[in-house]
Amino acid sequence: MENSLLQNVYNPDVLSCIANLSSDEVFTPPALANKMIDMLPQELFENPDTTFLDPCCKSGVFLREIAKRLIKGLKPQIPDLEKRVEHIFSKQLFGVAITELTSLLSRRSVYCSKYPNSQFSAYRFPENKPQGNIIYQRINHTWQNGKCIYCGASQNEYGRDSDLETYAYLSIHNVDLKKLFHMKFDVIIGNPPYQLSDGGNAASAKPLYHYFVEQAKKLNPRYLCMIIPARWYSGGKGLDDFRKNMLNDIHISNLIDYSNSSDCFPGVNIAGGVCYFLWDRLYNGDCKIINIKGNQEISEALRPLNEYPIFIRDNISVEIIHKVLRLKKDTMDTIVKSRNSFSLPSNYNGDNKSFPNALTMLSSNGISYISTKEIIDRDRILDKYKVIITYAMSGGNKPSSEGNYQIVSSLKVLNPSEVCTETFLVLGAFTCLSEANNLVSYVKTNFFRFLLLQTLTSIHITKNSFVFVPLQDFSHPWTDEMLYKKYNLTQEEINFIESMIKPME
């Protein structure tokens, strides 16, 4: 009996094959699911009363892998395999599928049948439970002013016909899961959908994953474990309150960080990387941070999540930032200008030919010419030398094939009477050209761009991204050697910086 279909049906593992179909709803590879389950106390799988919930089932991989551990762990208490399986599937494992398709897939991978009340199911549920304990209910968004009041989805995008998927996820749309299943859950674990279109320009999308985390905490489980994008580290679109809450949550005992999402989800690029965490209702203290790169653990540290207003992912980086800030000097965010200094949209078009008293305008399309009436000199820097970079991070938020980042691109000095569109960010403005050139030398250093990288979890570089970059004396040029010496960095720290940053030409 122990060598039955229940133990052999998963070879080969089809869930590994479909693990990476979308960057919005990323399927979890079984190996990764098991790493997350490994963080839980393993005695949970020896307790016949432990209940598990996946509130965002896609492939059913979490429940499937938990079932395997329970089948092994409960053997001493329930020796008969058939009775053990019946107990596990009927009383311990529960899921909420995110779509009708994923509900079928989840039931197939957990119960060995998409119809759990059929004769082909590993455990045959009663006739009145055709979904088993992995449920899917189609519900509708609640629209107000063109947006869903629960998830922020756009009515234009998701106000669909009844035969189309609404993506109104049950777990985050005012449904009490405790009442739905008539129980309290000990463990909540999953990989939620990451975003939905919000009806904005181009591919504008609204984060969703934080809603799943927040709703799971409201259920007050003993343990919560989820894998989510890491963009919350520095806040951003709809995530500022979530970031503050996470950073100040003393119940997060472990956080595993992947700066490159491909190390976690092969072939999937998620800007800013991903992380998974363990929330323990009874834990109270600092968090164990583990940095993973290239599937290898590179550092581990016990530290508070809220040491800074944003979360610094690399443990070695924290030590470097400590040294830099110890001098208590001003930082670059005090001179960097807010986005769009001249009130010129990225798609603004000037004249191809110059004319009397024309201003030279730099845009993503190159050089053109406009009149002074077309700009607003918000920062009063028109008559200064301006150091600019592109607002978008060079190469996006994905490392090069060598595993390092350039970060800054289109580093230029604009002369007086030269302006730029919002494609560019003004790092500083000077009355003296030599000072502008000296800032350029600083920006080119690995040191500068390494400290800038610590705040970036999306492709966008803003004024607030420079909070860890110290302001320097720009009466002379700067080199990495000068900066390493000034801040007394060790050779290990220098090597770490240079492994992370791609030299600029």
Side-chain angles (χ1 to χ4, degrees):
M1 191 70 171
E2 294 293 343
N3 293 319
S4 69
L5 177 66
L6 287 168
Q7 294 181 313
N8 296 301
V9 72
Y10 309 112
N11 186 25
D13 199 334
V14 69
L15 302 191
S16 294
C17 303
I18 63 167
N20 308 298
L21 299 180
S22 164
S23 60
D24 293 342
E25 298 171 352
V26 181
F27 285 70
T28 312
L32 175 60
N34 276 294
K35 289 180 181 179
M36 295 171 62
I37 297 169
D38 285 343
M39 291 199 303
L40 296 167
Q42 296 305 292
E43 56 266 26
L44 291 171
F45 306 105
E46 300 170 358
N47 184 346
D49 297 322
T50 306
T51 52
F52 300 83
L53 170 69
D54 180 350
C56 37
C57 285
K58 303 188 195 80
S59 66
V61 65
F62 289 103
L63 298 180
R64 189 194 75 175
E65 297 305 312
I66 289 170
K68 289 165 137 182
R69 298 192 187 207
L70 288 170
I71 288 172
K72 180 179 179 181
L74 295 180
K75 183 177 180 181
Q77 299 181 63
I78 311 176
D80 183 271
L81 177 61
E82 188 172 340
K83 291 182 179 179
R84 204 183 322 149
V85 169
E86 175 184 353
H87 177 84
I88 292 167
F89 286 164
S90 64
K91 299 184 182 301
Q92 292 190 270
L93 299 182
F94 302 86
V96 180
I98 61 173
T99 66
E100 184 173 13
L101 176 63
T102 61
S103 73
L104 299 174
L105 179 58
S106 295
R107 293 184 203 114
R108 177 64 181 83
S109 62
V110 176
Y111 304 134
C112 306
S113 172
K114 59 185 180 180
Y115 304 113
N117 62 350
S118 75
Q119 60 180 319
F120 302 107
S121 178
Y123 161 66
R124 190 169 184 175
F125 282 84
E127 288 298 321
N128 64 349
K129 294 195 71 173
Q131 298 189 69
N133 283 331
I134 301 176
I135 66 170
Y136 169 74
Q137 292 181 14
R138 180 188 171 91
I139 61 173
N140 294 317
H141 295 280
T142 303
W143 306 117
Q144 183 174 310
N145 299 324
K147 303 285 184 183
C148 176
I149 63 173
Y150 296 111
C151 70
S154 165
Q155 187 172 6
N156 288 337
E157 294 283 333
Y158 298 102
R160 298 174 167 179
D161 294 335
S162 59
D163 58 340
L164 296 177
E165 178 59 58
T166 65
Y167 298 99
Y169 301 118
L170 188 68
S171 298
I172 60 173
H173 281 75
N174 199 35
V175 175
D176 190 334
L177 297 184
K178 285 184 181 179
K179 292 182 179 179
L180 189 65
F181 288 106
H182 306 290
M183 68 172 54
K184 178 177 174 60
F185 300 102
D186 298 302
V187 177
I188 299 178
I189 188 168
N191 178 9
Y194 294 160
Q195 62 185 31
L196 276 180
S197 171
D198 60 6
N201 293 330
S204 178
K206 178 179 177 59
L208 280 182
Y209 54 89
H210 58 302
Y211 294 133
F212 284 86
V213 176
E214 291 165 348
Q215 289 300 319
K217 287 183 180 180
K218 289 179 181 179
L219 292 173
N220 198 31
R222 178 65 172 84
Y223 299 99
L224 166 63
C225 183
M226 283 193 175
I227 183 163
I228 57 178
R231 292 183 65 174
W232 66 267
Y233 291 174
S234 58
K237 191 172 187 178
L239 293 171
D240 286 336
D241 289 341
F242 179 70
R243 170 179 54 86
K244 292 175 185 176
N245 292 335
M246 288 289 283
L247 294 184
N248 290 289
D249 193 333
I250 55 176
H251 302 302
I252 299 177
S253 61
N254 297 68
L255 188 146
I256 316 301
D257 172 75
Y258 292 78
S259 59
N260 184 354
S261 61
S262 293
D263 291 338
C264 193
F265 299 111
V268 175
N269 179 27
I270 300 170
V274 295
C275 68
Y276 58 87
F277 63 90
L278 178 64
W279 182 90
D280 180 343
R281 189 179 70 222
L282 301 184
Y283 182 78
N284 185 335
D286 290 343
C287 181
K288 181 166 73 173
I289 313 295
I290 297 177
N291 299 135
I292 307 290
K293 291 183 182 176
N295 291 315
Q296 297 293 323
E297 179 180 326
I298 63 167
S299 69
E300 178 181 317
L302 187 68
R303 54 187 174 94
L305 290 173
N306 63 353
E307 183 175 8
Y308 298 109
I310 63 176
F311 177 64
I312 307 302
R313 69 192 325 158
D314 285 304
N315 295 318
I316 298 176
S317 299
V318 172
E319 296 304 316
I320 296 172
I321 289 171
H322 286 167
K323 288 186 176 182
V324 169
L325 297 185
R326 211 168 282 145
L327 293 181
K328 295 184 179 179
K329 299 292 184 180
D330 289 335
T331 48
M332 280 291 299
D333 61 306
T334 60
I335 70 167
V336 174
K337 308 304 177 185
S338 298
R339 187 180 177 188
N340 204 2
S341 291
F342 298 104
S343 299
L344 296 169
S346 296
N347 60 354
Y348 197 83
N349 295 316
D351 293 330
N352 292 329
K353 294 183 179 180
S354 184
F355 51 86
N357 300 318
L359 301 177
T360 301
M361 182 184 76
L362 179 64
S363 71
S364 57
N365 295 322
I367 298 293
S368 60
Y369 303 92
I370 61 175
S371 71
T372 55
K373 295 180 181 180
E374 296 175 81
I375 72 160
I376 297 175
D377 187 12
R378 184 190 65 206
D379 302 309
R380 299 183 180 180
I381 58 175
L382 177 62
D383 296 327
K384 295 183 177 182
Y385 295 95
K386 302 159 284 281
V387 178
I388 64 169
I389 61 171
T390 52
Y391 168 66
M393 181 177 172
S394 174
N397 201 258
K398 186 177 181 181
S400 68
S401 57
E402 291 79 28
N404 54 16
Y405 300 82
Q406 178 171 309
I407 305 169
V408 170
S409 61
S410 297
L411 176 59
K412 297 179 183 294
V413 176
L414 297 182
N415 294 316
S417 297
E418 294 182 344
V419 297
C420 58
T421 66
E422 67 175 340
T423 299
F424 301 91
L425 186 70
V426 178
L427 299 188
F430 305 88
T431 56
C432 178
L433 177 59
S434 63
E435 289 185 326
N437 287 331
N438 292 336
L439 172 54
V440 169
S441 72
Y442 184 38
V443 176
K444 286 184 176 181
T445 64
N446 294 341
F447 176 87
F448 178 102
R449 290 175 292 122
F450 170 80
L451 291 172
L452 174 59
L453 177 64
Q454 303 315 305
T455 65
L456 301 179
T457 53
S458 76
I459 66 170
H460 298 128
I461 303 173
T462 68
K463 176 183 176 69
N464 293 333
S465 303
F466 297 84
V467 293
F468 297 130
V469 184
L471 189 62
Q472 305 295 346
D473 174 6
F474 296 119
S475 65
H476 61 82
W478 287 94
T479 65
D480 274 313
E481 290 71 20
M482 296 166 66
L483 294 161
Y484 294 155
K485 182 177 180 180
K486 177 177 179 177
Y487 294 101
N488 194 30
L489 301 190
T490 66
Q491 191 59 52
E492 179 186 10
E493 291 166 339
I494 292 170
N495 293 342
F496 181 72
I497 290 175
E498 296 187 348
S499 71
M500 293 282 290
I501 304 301
K502 183 179 180 180
M504 290 187 71
E505 293 295 332

